[in-house]
Amino acid sequence: MPAVYWRVVRADFPDDQVLLACFAFFTLLCVGQLVSSWHLADSVDDLGDRLLVRRRGVEISIALNDIERVSKQWFKNPDHIALQLRRPTVFGSRIVFVAAMSPWHGFGENEILVDLRRRIGRAGGWRPTSG
């Protein structure tokens, strides 16, 4: 009797291949999310003339005039801000972090990006290109 019950219940579920395909899809989705966020800094704190960057237990301080360029990565929500450095650090020559969202997100430039560009320009770092 139990074998008949199992066949009836099992007939209501999709084939094993469909379940395996769904499992593989969600596994790839999770791995893709992990890979796409692996390079992000854990935190970036503003210390006035320096930025304190933490990533995986390592902490470094970067002077604003050591930053060559500040840019926003497109098609990322919330905004990812990339700092291109003049000299490589233990994190490499590029640091990417997730900017805090403002209530006006989606209406114009990110306030953190604009403020960093302005301050780094004053410190002798990033210069906007014309054209």
Side-chain angles (χ1 to χ4, degrees), residues 40-47 50-62 67 83 85 89-91 95-97:
L40 295 175
D42 295 333
S43 70
V44 176
D45 297 325
D46 189 355
L47 302 178
R50 309 182 79 67
L51 296 177
L52 185 65
V53 180
R54 290 185 195 93
R55 187 168 128 197
R56 292 189 210 106
V58 179
E59 183 175 288
I60 62 170
S61 178
I62 300 171
I67 299 173
L83 307 173
L85 306 176
T89 65
V90 293
F91 301 141
I95 294 174
V96 181
F97 65 96

Side-chain angles (χ1 to χ4, degrees), residues 6-16 18-19:
W6 171 250
R7 286 185 184 165
V8 171
V9 171
R10 186 155 196 234
D12 294 340
F13 289 108
D15 292 331
D16 292 341
V18 174
L19 289 175

Side-chain angles (χ1 to χ4, degrees), residues 12-28:
D12 294 340
F13 289 108
D15 292 331
D16 292 341
Q17 290 83 12
V18 174
L19 289 175
L20 185 60
C22 290
F23 177 74
F25 173 76
F26 286 113
T27 301
L28 287 175

Side-chain angles (χ1 to χ4, degrees), residues 52-102:
L52 185 65
V53 180
R54 290 185 195 93
R55 187 168 128 197
R56 292 189 210 106
V58 179
E59 183 175 288
I60 62 170
S61 178
I62 300 171
L64 291 183
N65 59 359
D66 285 340
I67 299 173
E68 186 176 327
R69 183 177 53 223
V70 181
S71 60
K72 173 183 143 182
Q73 292 184 336
W74 293 96
F75 306 114
K76 299 286 185 175
N77 188 14
D79 292 334
H80 290 195
I81 295 179
L83 307 173
Q84 186 69 38
L85 306 176
R86 294 184 191 279
R87 293 182 291 273
T89 65
V90 293
F91 301 141
S93 60
R94 189 166 186 248
I95 294 174
V96 181
F97 65 96
V98 176
M101 290 182 66
S102 72

Side-chain angles (χ1 to χ4, degrees), residues 2-3 5 19 31 70 92 98 114 126:
Y5 177 74
L19 289 175
V31 168
V70 181
V98 176
V114 171
W126 183 81

